[in-house]
Amino acid sequence: MKNVLICGAGMSATDLISYMLKHAEEYNWFITVVYFDCYDDTIMERYIKDADIVISLLPPGMHAAAAKIALQYNAHVVTASYASQEMIDMHEEAREKGLTFLNELGADPGIDHMNGMRSIDKIRKKGGELLAFESYCGSLVAPESNDNPWGYKFTWSPMNVILAGSAGASYYKNGALRCRPYHKLFTNPKIIGVPGFEEFEAYENRDSVVYRKKYKLDNIPTLIRATLRYPGFCEGWNLFIQLGLTADNYQIEGSENMTYRQWVAAYLPDDGDASLENKLADTLHLERGGKLHEQLLWTELLSERPIKRVNGTPAEILLDLLLDKLKFNQDDTDMLVFYERIEYKVEGQLYEHLSYLATKGLDHWHTAISRTVGLPAAIGAKLILNGEIKSRGVLFPWTAEVYDPVLNELEELGIAYTSYDSKIERSHYE
C-alpha cells in the first residue's frame, strides 16, 4: 500500500482529493488529507514521515519546507505552484535518493506549460523556426455570472489577486527586453480575442524572460506570458495601485478604529471644500460620475463601513472589503480560459499556431479552478506512484514524459485544447 499525503484543503483542493479517493482502491493507496499550521515543522514531520508521496497545496512559500522533510524521509513531492530557488536547490539530493519533486503542475503554471511545450515540440519536429510565443490564462467568472462592474470574483487565493503584478513584469518583444513596473502594469492592457468569446484584456505575468531558457527558446524574438481579465478590470485595478491601497509592506496603526471612508481620506488631499467623492475623482484624473469613478465607488471604498482588520496593511484592509463585494456566490459558475499563439517559419513560409481552451466549473465546489489546478497535480502523482514518470530530481512539466499523459487524461476528463495552424502573410509584430 502507498501512503499519499495531501497537505492543504483550500479552494483548489476539491477535485484533487476526489480524484485520489476515486482511484485509491484501484491502486492500493491510503489517502490522508491534512489541514494544519504549515509553520510548525514538528506537525509537518509527524505526517510526512510515513508518506510515499506528498502533494502540497500549501501556500507557495511553504512547499520547500514540506519538500525538505520529504527529502529526509524519502517521499516524492508534487506541487501546483511556481518552484522557489530553495526547491530547485534540492535537485541533486532528490535525484541521488531516487525521488521525483514535480513542480508547477496546476493550471497556470501547469496546463499552460504542458500545452505550450507540446506545441513547440511539434513545430520543431517539422523543422519550424520559432519566432514568437504568447501564452495567456485567466481565472474568471463565467459570462452568466459576470454581474458586477469589475467582471471579477474571487475563485482562488484572494490575497494573491490583491498582490498580483506587484513585482512588475518582463518579457521579450521583437528581440528587445521589455520591462513594465507595477505602477504601469495595468495601464493600456492588450486586447485578446479568443474564439467563442468577446474580447478579453491582458496584462503581462511576472518574469516571462526565464521561459526562453526553460522552453529552450533562447533566441526567440518574442516571448510573452500574460493574464486574462474581462474588459474594464485593468483600468479599474490600476486606480487601487495608484492610490497605494495594494501595498503590503507597512501597517495602518489603529485601522480597526477607522471606517473605509476615513482610511481612503488619508490618501487624498486635505485642502479645499470638495466632497471626498470628488477629491477621489480629481486625484485620479477621472471624470466625476464617469464609468471608472462609479466602478471605484461601487466597492464602497468611501462608505462608513468599519474596518475590522487590526493594524492591517493596506492590502489586507482592501482585501477585507473586496472579499464581500467580489464574493463568489453559491450559484455562481467560474471559468478558466487559456489562449496560446505561436508564429513560426517552415521553408520560408510564415505560419500561425493557435490553441485555446475554456472550461467551466461543475458546481460551487468542483470549480474550474479546482479542476484545472487539482487534476493535473493528481494525475502527476498517479504517474509517479505507478512508475510511469521515471525521471528523478526537481522536475517541471515541460517534457513529453509528463505533458503527454497528463494532457491526454485531462482531455478524457473534458479539459481539452482546440488547436490549428494556418499560413499568414506577415507577422503581428511588424
Side-chain angles (χ1 to χ4, degrees):
M1 177 173 286
K2 296 291 180 66
N3 290 319
V4 178
L5 177 66
I6 301 173
C7 296
M11 296 171 74
S12 301
T14 306
D15 286 272
L16 186 151
I17 295 168
S18 296
Y19 181 98
M20 300 307 290
L21 290 174
K22 178 181 177 181
H23 293 284
E25 185 175 353
E26 176 185 0
Y27 294 114
N28 198 25
W29 297 336
F30 184 83
I31 312 295
T32 302
V33 181
V34 291
Y35 189 78
F36 54 75
D37 181 356
C38 56
Y39 296 97
D40 189 326
D41 289 345
T42 302
I43 294 177
M44 280 213 295
E45 184 173 355
R46 182 188 308 163
Y47 287 105
I48 292 174
K49 67 182 179 65
D50 296 321
D52 292 291
I53 192 166
V54 176
I55 307 174
S56 177
L57 294 176
L58 297 171
M62 296 308 301
H63 294 312
K68 280 184 178 179
I69 299 172
L71 198 59
Q72 179 183 349
Y73 289 99
N74 296 308
H76 301 290
V77 175
V78 174
T79 83
S81 300
Y82 289 103
S84 65
Q85 188 58 50
E86 193 177 7
M87 177 73 80
I88 293 168
D89 289 344
M90 298 183 210
H91 172 71
E92 285 301 326
E93 190 173 353
R95 187 181 60 80
E96 289 171 3
K97 287 193 169 187
L99 299 174
T100 298
F101 286 9
L102 182 52
N103 296 271
E104 302 189 19
L105 194 61
D108 172 5
I111 291 175
D112 58 339
H113 287 329
M114 293 186 285
N115 192 74
M117 281 309 302
R118 176 182 265 183
S119 301
I120 289 167
D121 286 346
K122 284 181 179 178
I123 291 168
R124 282 176 172 148
K125 284 179 182 177
K126 58 185 180 183
E129 176 193 359
L130 287 121
L131 304 174
F133 178 90
E134 303 171 50
S135 178
Y136 303 86
C137 175
S139 175
L140 305 160
V141 289
E144 58 269 26
S145 297
N146 183 8
D147 56 9
N148 70 53
W150 290 83
Y152 193 82
K153 296 181 183 180
F154 292 116
T155 58
W156 64 295
S157 174
M159 182 53 91
N160 284 354
V161 176
I162 300 293
L163 300 178
S166 56
S170 57
Y171 56 96
Y172 267 89
K173 183 177 179 181
N174 283 340
L177 175 67
R178 306 299 301 165
C179 296
R180 299 201 73 190
Y182 184 39
H183 69 281
K184 292 185 177 179
L185 186 59
F186 290 87
T187 62
N188 301 314
K190 186 175 182 179
I191 302 302
I192 301 295
V194 178
F197 295 92
E198 295 182 7
E199 293 176 334
F200 295 100
E201 58 188 29
Y203 66 90
E204 291 80 10
N205 185 6
R206 300 191 185 198
D207 181 7
S208 296
V209 173
V210 296
Y211 288 94
R212 290 175 110 204
K213 182 176 181 180
K214 291 179 177 181
Y215 291 170
K216 298 182 180 178
L217 296 171
D218 295 327
N219 299 312
I220 195 168
T222 298
L223 193 152
I224 301 170
R225 287 164 47 84
T227 299
L228 295 175
R229 291 287 182 260
Y230 282 115
F233 177 89
C234 288
E235 271 192 289
W237 196 261
N238 184 55
L239 301 178
F240 289 136
I241 297 170
Q242 299 308 313
L243 282 170
L245 306 187
T246 61
D248 199 38
N249 58 346
Y250 70 94
Q251 293 178 310
I252 304 295
E253 185 176 350
S255 58
E256 68 278 13
N257 300 317
M258 304 172 73
T259 67
Y260 276 90
R261 188 176 184 86
Q262 291 170 330
W263 173 55
V264 175
Y267 292 85
L268 301 176
D270 61 359
D271 56 333
D273 298 324
S275 70
L276 211 57
E277 286 75 10
N278 286 340
K279 283 184 181 181
L280 184 67
D282 294 344
T283 299
L284 295 170
H285 307 292
L286 303 177
E287 176 190 355
R288 294 183 181 186
K291 183 178 179 181
L292 277 173
H293 192 204
E294 291 299 319
Q295 183 180 0
L296 203 54
L297 294 177
W298 177 89
T299 64
E300 299 184 28
L301 201 61
L302 296 184
S303 71
E304 296 294 350
R305 178 191 292 236
I307 293 172
K308 296 181 180 179
R309 182 79 63 158
V310 177
N311 295 335
T313 67
E316 290 171 336
I317 295 169
L318 179 63
L319 172 64
D320 292 341
L321 178 66
L322 295 185
L323 277 173
D324 178 44
K325 298 299 294 185
L326 302 181
K327 183 179 180 181
F328 183 64
N329 295 308
Q330 190 74 31
D331 57 351
D332 284 331
T333 303
D334 74 327
M335 175 176 72
L336 259 288
V337 178
F338 298 85
Y339 179 75
E340 171 189 291
R341 183 180 178 277
I342 301 174
E343 286 185 12
Y344 65 97
K345 277 185 179 179
V346 176
E347 297 179 351
Q349 173 63 55
L350 187 60
Y351 291 86
E352 176 184 68
H353 166 86
L354 295 179
S355 283
Y356 56 93
L357 184 166
T359 184
K360 294 183 180 181
L362 304 181
D363 54 44
H364 190 74
W365 297 107
H366 296 277
T367 60
I369 192 71
S370 171
R371 286 168 57 75
T372 55
V373 171
L375 290 175
I379 296 167
K382 180 189 73 172
L383 294 170
I384 293 169
L385 288 168
N386 290 353
E388 296 174 63
I389 292 178
K390 302 185 184 300
S391 297
R392 297 294 181 251
V394 176
L395 305 183
F396 299 89
W398 41 71
T399 61
E401 180 185 24
V402 178
Y403 69 62
D404 269 337
V406 175
L407 288 175
N408 289 344
E409 186 164 348
L410 285 175
E411 184 171 358
E412 293 172 5
L413 295 170
I415 301 172
Y417 277 86
T418 298
S419 303
Y420 60 90
D421 293 57
S422 55
K423 293 180 181 180
I424 55 176
E425 294 302 316
R426 41 186 308 192
S427 169
H428 281 203
Y429 294 96
E430 288 184 6

